[in-house]
Structure formats: structure tokens, C-alpha cells
Amino acid sequence: MADRDAVPYDPQSVERKWQQRWEERGTNHANLAGASHPFYNLMMFPYPSAEGLHVGNVFAFVGADIQGRFRRLKGADVFEPLGFDAFGIHSENFALKVGTHPAELIPRNIERFRGQLKRIGLMADWRYEVQTTDPRYYKWTQWIFLQLYRAGLAVKRRAAVNWCPACKTVLANEQVINGFCERHPDVKVEQRMLDQWFFTITPYAQRLLDHLETADWSHSTRTIQANWIGRSDGAELVFETPGGKRITVFTTRPDTLFGATYLVLAPEHPLVEGLTTAERRADVNAYRRRVAAMDLVSRKVGDKTKTGEFTGSYARNPATGESVPIWIADYVLMEYGTGAIMAVPGHDERDFEFATAMKLPIVRVVAGPGQDASTPLAAAEADIPDGRIVNSPGYDGMPWAEAKRAITAALAAKNLGKPVVNYRLHDWCISRQRYWGPPIPIIYCDGCGTVPVPEKDLPVVLPALEDFRPDDSGVSPLARLESWYRVPCPKCGKTARRETDVSDTFLDSAWYFLRYPSADRDDVAFDAGLTRKWLPVASYIGGNEHAVLHLMYSRFVTMALHDLGLVDFEEPFARFRAHGTIVKDGAKMSKSRGNVVNPDAYVDKWGADTFRMYLMFLGPYQDGGDFRDAGISGIRRFLDKVWGLVETHGGSNAQAHGQAGASADLLRMMHRTIQRVTEDTASLAYNTAIAAMMEYVNALRDGEPAGSLVEPLAILLAPYAPHFAEECWERLGHTTSVMDAPWPNFDPALAVAEEVELVVQVNGKVRARLRSPRGTPQEAAVKAALADPSVLKFTAGAAPKKVVFVPDRLVNI
RNA sequence: GCCCGGGUGGCGAAAUGGCAAACGCAGGGGACUUAAAAUCCCCAGGGGGCAACCCCGUGCGGGUUCAAGUCCCGCCCCGGGCACCA
């Protein structure tokens, strides 16, 4: 059949040829305005680091690209944009380290990244590229800020930051190592209070949580988000002092109220001042000062030894009527609940430790089976299965869950309590006392106060600043550039001052998916019509490392814009799947570990298609795995085999040979393969989709295939090895792109075999296999099974006691 | 500590409660070759047997079932998230 000389598969020339063709033909372009079946295929845009693209990026993008190509072949109009997330402390620190300005560095990095991404063969529509550092982009980031400000969701508030006295600058939490500065290992990091901008995300907590239940998202991602939101149901209860002060505590265990033997307030609690007695004042003040100086990280995760001071005052336990001492301790945090707790040392581990250290009374109020009111407590017993209330007159014997409601209700009746829900989620601080970010578009005027920059004056361009090193002013380096921050007030015209902090990088990425379809527009952030047409995003694939911040903030911004009437959906991502992590030698790839794998060398040696498929074949896409290059040759061998099949059965032969020449078995296998590849590709089971194609190719080579059996293979391969598939498609006699071919259909009836192998078990053990026609009825199957010599050996001719028959599968005797 | 995942050949991995190990890598044997590479064919969980075959096997211990890698209970180990959150 093959008259031509065999041309070996040369990935380099094939890939060069098709990348050029795609560009010339606009193969990857989406018709945004005219699409009839829009499918927005999104992948998390990269931070263009100086090291260039790494294997983890390729793994992520290829997996997403396969979805995009697959949906396109299935008939959708796919829009697959890409961009670069290049603002932020990461870029800034790197720039400081190498002594090159980020404005110079970033475009170079982007250039390199774009080149690498193109070589991978993504179906990206580069006409809609976005760069967060481009004033044409961040103009609209600032606009988003103004919309949230308008909605009352952006507020300025005093908040603590980490401060390194040696660097004289604000540190991010990750720059604080065990309470010390990462650059000055012997300098203790302190806490400083600064005025900062916050987005009030907390009122959205319940909505953000509720939508997770129905979201088509990875299970792991939903769990992580739900934990981060951290809903807990409890009650606020009031303890009164003899002086008439009401101390409100939050507890999730109101049922243990009778065991509350003391109160603890956060050292910063506003009531502490008034509660402290004269003789305790010196100690209390010293303790409060010590805690105030502590850096934010140590306060929460540092040494957990319990410390605290007695205020000298007492309050009345509303259940027992007893007087309980009021303490302060750093283990109680001002930002959670009411900043005050009732301590139940018998049933809370921290309270137990504190009570033991301070010699405070410990009382049992819950007893499990086999315990009673007097069973001693050697440690806190927090979760007692089947626990019942004891030592609590009026509630004794009650299951604790029931007592929770009963005690809360009883206190509510006396105006001393109510059920309350708390969330761990904190408001989002977006102020950064840094240079490399979009300036927050606010102007402060002595007369008019806080004035938002009028939208017509956007963007507030980040000025070129030669020395952008942070300094000891506690504000952004922009505060050094008087010519920039001195501006007339937009309201009254008098001299005013710009906000000199820039916004958090996470704000840049919290709305970029809205920007892509309108990336070519300068008059709007996002066009209403295009947004309605293309959003919410149909498929979003990215790493779980962004499960918390990026995804949460994107959802919040979208909800806020929805509430402002600017978009008509509340959730930005209809479907989200987290890909796994590619590690190397069991560890995350990082430059400091020296285990970063650069994809270029692999693309050079094997070609993008082989490399793409290899990464997808490593293991389940949603699990990731350890990168080893052993085995990459297996993929290449597979592609060579396909190449050979195309060579032999392609060209004019493809059409000439009808399916007449195809054996029934091979035809069935083709349908079965199409079914498996279709289902597995849709569910991101790329490794098994590839395995199915391999099995098919092996079968074609063992049999006598017709060209019509080879053709569908080129289309099935297109999402995985796009250049290769194009070349095969052309060699099969087609003149248009394989990406414009229709995904092959399978006939479920043809995909199943006519003859099946029936497994015969005796007492649950496999003893024989019978070939029998599909649909063999029970009587016939059992008869055949009993007649089988190897079955006879075990039944010894005896009549079966019981028979289990699963049609077309097995007979168990 | 709490909340998610996961644990299967030498390795990466497959398996609607119904033939454990598909597919691939590495390995062994053979063909082709002066030779090697490439390619092609065969073997390949462990143990026993001359053999047909038999026994054992999915982290550990129990259980449900005609039948369990898969479901239930209790442990162990690994990965991830949260963590002084009351």
C-alpha cells in the first residue's frame, strides 16, 4: 500500500510548520462577537519570573489546553486567552536583588515566557493578552477599586503590620521567620499600627460558603475554601460585673457554662483599662506592652506556653451566680469573636493549660458513659462521645448538644445571651507599602477628606522611580516623590495628597478573567455584551495553591460587581478543576533547592507534542506527581507507530478504503476507543485516555486496518499532540485544520463485543472462563459452566447449592 | 490537634462490589545486524510443582457479602490545608 518512501517523524520541522500555519490562518482566533457556542477556557495566568517557564507551568497549561481543544472539536467556539501577572512584591524583591528596575525586567521576562508558551503549542488567542502592569490594564484595576469604594466595601482602618526595625520597612508575613526578620536573623520583628485600606469581605462569608455547596468545583478546593471561611455556630453570653459592666463572650459550647470558672479578655480588649484594679495595674500594663510589641506571626503560631495577668476584677457567671476572676492573656485574640472568652478548663485544652498554670479551679460539667460528676479530669475532655451534662443544676443528664440550645435559650430569655455565628474569614487588606503595584486611586484633602480619583482621571500612573527601595517612613516609596503625590483636590482644587500605597497583587488577578474578552477596548473595563456572552468562565483550571486567596477574592469581587449591577452573575467560574503538583525528587520545585526542571531542553530534544503527552501520561492529572524523564521514549514510540499507520494507510487510500475492509473486531475497538477517549478527556483522566489510544494503535498494528480506522485517531490525538495531529490529518488527505474537524462519534451498540468472556467462579474463586455470545441466558450459562472440566473438578459433580448469575459477566456456583 | 486526599508489581499507574496489575518505563530472552543502536517477537507479582495446575497476594487488624483494592468499624504511615479561632 505504501508506495512512498517512509519519511520519519521529525517533531521540530512539524512543529515549526504548524505553528507558522496557525499564525497565518488565525487558527487559534476566537470570534468573540459572532460565536454561537461560546466556551471560555481559562487557565491561571503566570507570574513571569526571571527563571522562565517551568515544568509545573507546562503541566498546568497543557491540561487546560486539552480541555479547550477538546471542546472546540466538539463544536464549541473556544476562547483561550493568556496573560501575565507581573506586579507585586515577588517581582519587586527580585528586581532589588539583581539591581534592575522591574519596569525593565518584566517586559524581558514576558517576552521569554510568551516565546516558551508558543512553543508548547497552546491554542491561545494572543490578540487578547493582558499584562497587569500595563496602564491600560491597571487603569481598570483602579476602576474596580473605585466601584467597591462606591459600594462602601473599601474602608480605611488602622491595622497591625510586621515591622523590621533593621530594614525599617513593613514585612509580609512570609518574610517573618520565627519572629525574626528573614534578612536580619537576630532582629526581632515588631508590630506597628498603620492606616490601611480593606475590602470588607466578611459580610459575604455566608454567601461565599453557601455557593460552594452547589459549585462544580474540585472537592479539595471547596473543602479548603470552606475551612478558610471557617463558620462556627455558637452563642454570645454576657457576664456582668458588680460595677454593671457587661462582658460579652463568644463560645461554641454554651452547654459548658456551669464549668466556666474564669474569664479571659484579649490584652487589647477595650474593657481591660476599666477592669484593672490599682494594685494590678503595673503588671497588667507591662503585659499589654509586651504583647503589643510582639510580631504578628509569633503571637499566633509561636511558643504556646500560656501566660497572662489577673485584672483584679470579677464577673458573675450567669448560670451559677458565682463570682469568677477576669484575666487577660495573649491566647485570646481581639479579632475573633468578641475578643473575650469564658474559660472552661474541664473541657477546653487551652483553658486547661492556663488554669493549671495559674492554679484556677477546674470543674467537670460533661460526663461520658462510665463517668459521673466526680470522675477526675487529668486533662481537658473536649469531645466526649455520648456525653451528658453534670454539675449543672437544671440540666443534669441532658445530652450536651441539647443543653447547648437549652442554656442559650435560658440566657436569651434574661437578655444575657443569643445564638451567634462566627467566621474566621478576615477582611482583605489591600494596602501595600511598596512600589511595584497600581497606586490606590484616592486623594486626601484637608478640606474634603478622602476623595476618590474621578474615573476620567484614571489611570493613576505608577511613576518611574529610580530608587524604589522601601524606607523607614512606613509608607510606600512613592511618598518620596512629592511632585507625584502633591495634586489638587478633585473637589475643591486646593492642594491635596495622593494615597501613596499601592494595591495588593491579588486585586490584579481578582478580575482579569473579566478583562480578557475586552482586552482590546480602552473605553470600558469589560464590555457588557461580551461579558454576558462569555462569562461566567466555562472551565477554569489551576493550582490549589490559589484555592484560598485568588479564588476567594475573585468570587468576592464578582459578587460585589453583581450587587452593583455591573455583571449579571454572582460566581465567576462555572467549573473549576485543580490540577496536581509536579514535584521533583519528592520536593516542590524551587530555585533554592536547585530542582527546577526547565522544559526547553525537553522540547528541544523530543518536541512539544511528545513532551505534552508525556506530562499528561505521568499519572492522574488532578494528582500531579514526581517528574522523572524515564518513560518519555514510550510516548515517542507511540507517536512513531501512529506515524507509520498514517504512512501506510493514509493519503488517497483513506477514502478509497471503506469500512468494508475493516474487521468487525477492529471496528468495535474503534468505537470503544472513541468512547473512552471522549469520556476520559472530558473528565481530565488524560492518562487513561492516552492508554486507550495506545491500546487501539497496538490493535491496529496487529490487525489489518483500513484507512478509515486510522482517520479518527488523528482527531482524538489533536488535543494532546496538536502539531502531530495536524500533520497526520494533512497526510490523510485533508486541506483544512484538524481543529476544524468534527470530533468522531461512537455508537454505543458497536462499542460492545458480541462475544463475551464469562467468568465461572466456584465458591467465589475463579475456576474457568467461557467464551459465550452476548446475552447468554442464565440456564445456558450455568449448564455450560457445570460441564466445564475444570469446574467439575471442584464441584465433583454435586448439584450447586446456590447460583449467582450476572449477565455477560460471571457465574458463581 | 482538627479537616481533606492517598497507600496496588522493580518504577509511573489501571480496575460501574464481579477475571487485580490495562497502558507505559526499566528488566530478561530471541530475531535482524560483522557489531551496536533502532525496530520486531516472546517472558515478566510471590511461592510450589516435570506438568496440567495449585496456594498466597492491593499498608495492618476485624466485619458485611456468593464475591471486597473497591463498602463498614478500629489502627498505622505518607501528602496537603487550617491551627492559641474559644
Side-chain angles (χ1 to χ4, degrees):
Chain A
M1 288 200 266
D3 316 319
R4 294 173 288 174
D5 288 336
V7 181
Y9 166 46
D10 171 36
Q12 302 308 334
S13 65
V14 167
E15 288 171 14
R16 221 176 301 118
K17 166 179 166 185
W18 285 100
Q19 285 179 12
Q20 201 180 338
R21 280 246 187 121
W22 292 336
E23 201 131 326
E24 285 162 11
R25 294 175 172 177
T27 309
N28 298 343
H29 292 176
N31 179 355
L32 292 192
S36 51
H37 296 96
F39 187 94
Y40 190 165
N41 188 49
L42 186 67
M43 53 195 93
M44 288 181 178
F45 64 165
Y47 155 68
S49 70
E51 294 88 55
L53 202 66
H54 66 80
V55 171
N57 298 128
V58 179
F59 181 76
F61 296 144
V62 168
D65 187 57
I66 289 171
Q67 280 307 291
R69 289 182 178 274
F70 174 64
R71 302 312 291 231
R72 166 150 167 192
L73 288 159
K74 297 270 284 175
D77 297 294
V78 176
F79 177 44
E80 186 173 304
L82 266 170
F84 301 96
D85 187 22
F87 262 141
I89 195 164
H90 212 106
S91 310
E92 187 176 307
N93 285 348
F94 183 78
L96 284 169
K97 202 171 107 193
V98 300
T100 311
H101 199 278
E104 195 180 313
L105 218 48
I106 292 298
R108 277 209 310 253
N109 294 352
I110 287 180
E111 193 66 28
R112 170 146 181 236
F113 257 71
R114 199 190 292 111
Q116 289 180 300
L117 288 165
K118 286 187 174 175
R119 280 193 77 193
I120 299 301
L122 303 179
M123 197 177 67
D125 190 343
W126 288 101
R127 299 173 304 167
Y128 294 89
E129 176 188 323
V130 302
Q131 298 179 11
T132 56
T133 47
D134 184 341
R136 287 183 53 221
Y137 181 86
Y138 71 70
K139 167 183 179 176
W140 301 112
T141 306
Q142 292 168 336
W143 179 85
I144 297 270
F145 174 92
L146 293 177
Q147 304 317 303
L148 284 142
Y149 179 81
R150 183 157 68 87
L153 294 169
V155 296
K156 200 158 195 197
R157 195 187 286 165
R158 236 177 150 62
V161 292
N162 298 301
W163 179 265
C164 172
C167 309
K168 299 189 170 182
T169 188
V170 175
L171 300 182
N173 276 349
E174 50 271 32
Q175 294 177 287
V176 183
I177 316 291
N178 301 322
F180 293 88
C181 172
E182 67 173 351
R183 272 182 292 182
H184 301 92
D186 35 280
V187 176
K188 264 240 171 230
V189 175
E190 298 167 0
Q191 195 183 125
R192 248 203 196 189
M193 300 301 282
L194 292 179
D195 286 325
Q196 317 218 49
W197 283 99
F198 283 85
F199 283 156
T200 52
I201 183 170
T202 29
Y204 285 77
Q206 192 59 49
R207 242 165 114 190
L208 289 165
L209 187 61
D210 287 342
H211 292 188
L212 284 178
E213 280 175 34
T214 49
D216 181 8
W217 280 31
S218 300
H219 169 81
S220 60
T221 313
R222 296 201 322 239
T223 310
I224 293 169
Q225 284 222 350
N227 289 346
W228 186 259
I229 295 169
R231 178 185 161 118
S232 66
D233 289 79
E236 283 183 3
L237 306 178
V238 177
F239 284 62
E240 290 174 305
T241 65
K245 291 199 176 80
R246 288 165 66 91
I247 299 173
T248 306
V249 301
F250 174 73
T251 178
T252 54
R253 295 294 303 275
D255 54 301
T256 61
L257 177 59
F258 285 80
T261 52
Y262 60 101
L263 296 184
V264 188
L265 306 194
E268 308 89 331
H269 198 290
L271 285 176
V272 173
E273 189 62 36
L275 288 167
T276 306
T277 57
E279 58 273 24
R280 299 292 311 139
R281 188 156 302 276
D283 287 340
V284 166
N285 284 351
Y287 187 77
R288 295 179 84 188
R289 271 196 303 275
R290 190 148 61 83
V291 172
M294 228 190 289
D295 72 279
L296 301 173
V297 179
S298 318
R299 165 74 184 273
K300 289 190 182 169
V301 299
D303 181 4
K304 289 182 182 172
T305 311
K306 295 294 175 288
T307 59
E309 291 292 340
F310 177 41
T311 61
S313 293
Y314 293 83
R316 211 173 74 92
N317 180 319
T320 62
E322 277 166 31
S323 209
V324 298
I326 305 169
W327 286 68
I328 60 169
D330 65 355
Y331 81 93
V332 175
L333 308 171
M334 195 58 224
E335 71 259 28
Y336 186 75
T338 60
I341 62 153
M342 62 175 209
V344 185
H347 305 284
D348 181 279
E349 206 176 308
R350 297 149 302 177
D351 296 344
F352 185 91
E353 276 174 39
F354 190 82
T356 308
M358 306 301 169
K359 308 214 164 25
L360 291 159
I362 299 170
V363 178
R364 173 186 290 280
V365 289
V366 185
Q371 296 178 319
D372 62 34
S374 58
T375 308
L377 284 151
E381 295 181 12
D383 276 307
I384 304 180
D386 300 319
R388 287 175 182 272
I389 300 298
V390 293
N391 288 330
S392 306
Y395 302 92
D396 286 346
M398 208 180 256
W400 62 265
E402 197 183 312
K404 249 170 138 161
R405 285 188 294 274
I407 292 178
T408 306
L411 262 66
K414 291 189 269 180
N415 194 29
L416 290 173
K418 59 177 178 196
V420 163
V421 175
N422 255 307
Y423 302 91
R424 290 183 191 198
L425 185 68
H426 286 80
D427 283 336
W428 173 16
C429 177
I430 59 142
S431 293
R432 294 291 178 273
Q433 293 73 37
R434 287 282 180 152
Y435 169 68
W436 192 236
I440 294 173
I442 288 287
I443 292 169
Y444 302 104
C445 168
D446 286 339
C448 311
T450 302
V451 182
V453 171
E455 289 183 18
K456 65 172 173 51
D457 294 343
L458 297 180
V460 177
V461 175
L462 180 69
L465 190 59
E466 210 41 60
D467 178 18
F468 53 91
R469 208 166 290 276
D471 66 12
D472 62 358
S473 58
V475 285
S476 154
L478 291 173
R480 274 177 254 151
L481 204 58
E482 193 175 348
S483 61
W484 179 78
Y485 70 70
R486 243 346 128 210
V487 285
C489 168
K491 264 194 191 159
C492 69
K494 279 193 238 145
T495 305
R497 185 191 165 102
R498 281 194 192 284
E499 168 66 67
T500 50
D501 284 355
V502 299
S503 59
D504 183 6
T505 340
F506 278 107
L507 180 56
D508 304 328
S509 58
W511 76 281
Y512 77 113
F513 47 90
L514 286 164
R515 181 62 184 162
Y516 276 134
S518 310
D520 57 341
R521 296 274 295 274
D522 285 326
D523 56 330
V524 284
F526 45 88
D527 176 80
L530 285 176
T531 303
R532 219 178 354 261
K533 185 171 185 135
W534 288 91
L535 281 104
V537 167
S539 166
Y540 194 19
I541 289 178
N544 249 344
E545 70 273 18
H546 291 119
V548 174
L549 300 179
H550 164 62
L551 290 176
M552 190 78 77
Y553 294 154
S554 299
R555 296 179 62 209
F556 162 69
V557 166
T558 304
M559 262 181 215
L561 294 175
H562 169 266
D563 294 350
L564 281 164
L566 293 168
V567 298
D568 59 2
F569 47 89
E570 289 186 70
E571 287 289 337
F573 314 124
R575 172 177 143 120
F576 174 78
R577 292 290 179 274
H579 62 246
T581 317
I582 294 291
V583 297
K584 179 79 174 106
D585 308 322
K588 241 174 118 171
M589 280 186 242
S590 74
K591 215 181 155 198
S592 55
R593 278 198 195 87
N595 62 353
V596 177
V597 178
N598 183 337
D600 291 345
Y602 289 93
V603 175
D604 287 344
K605 180 165 181 202
W606 298 95
D609 286 328
T610 300
F611 190 53
R612 281 172 65 116
M613 279 192 91
Y614 176 61
L615 288 175
M616 297 302 108
F617 191 59
L618 265 183
Y621 186 63
Q622 299 186 66
D623 291 358
D626 209 338
F627 182 85
R628 309 152 317 274
D629 49 16
I632 192 163
S633 56
I635 296 289
R636 176 55 194 268
R637 283 203 267 264
F638 164 70
L639 292 179
D640 280 334
K641 288 179 195 172
V642 177
W643 186 267
L645 285 170
V646 168
E647 193 81 42
T648 320
H649 303 283
S652 51
N653 293 325
Q655 278 85 35
H657 282 69
Q659 294 188 340
S663 80
D665 277 341
L666 283 180
L667 190 63
R668 185 177 312 113
M669 181 127 186
M670 181 186 84
H671 284 278
R672 176 95 189 99
T673 303
I674 294 170
Q675 178 175 15
R676 288 172 70 187
V677 174
T678 305
E679 290 169 0
D680 289 355
T681 303
S683 63
L684 280 72
Y686 301 143
N687 56 332
T688 48
I690 292 169
M693 289 189 268
M694 288 174 166
E695 285 181 58
Y696 183 50
V697 165
N698 291 344
L700 288 180
R701 283 160 54 85
D702 289 343
E704 278 175 29
S708 60
L709 293 178
V710 177
E711 250 199 39
L713 194 56
I715 307 172
L716 297 181
L717 267 169
Y720 293 87
H723 317 83
F724 179 85
E726 290 277 24
E727 185 66 22
C728 291
W729 193 242
E730 189 176 75
R731 282 165 176 262
L732 288 166
H734 299 274
T735 53
T736 54
S737 169
V738 69
M739 292 311 300
D740 294 324
W743 188 259
N745 288 317
F746 61 90
D747 182 340
L750 283 176
V752 296
E754 285 156 21
E755 198 174 51
V756 293
E757 199 165 49
L758 210 54
V759 173
V760 182
Q761 297 181 336
V762 179
N763 292 327
K765 288 197 175 188
V766 180
R767 297 300 178 190
R769 279 143 218 204
L770 304 174
R771 287 204 68 87
S772 70
R774 167 162 290 276
T776 303
Q778 177 161 351
E779 308 84 73
V782 173
K783 201 175 157 206
L786 286 173
D788 189 275
S790 42
V791 172
L792 272 172
K793 207 161 63 183
F794 288 91
T795 56
K801 279 205 215 57
K802 187 175 174 187
V803 172
V804 178
F805 178 71
V806 182
D808 296 334
R809 288 218 103 122
L810 100 175
V811 180
N812 193 345
I813 300 162

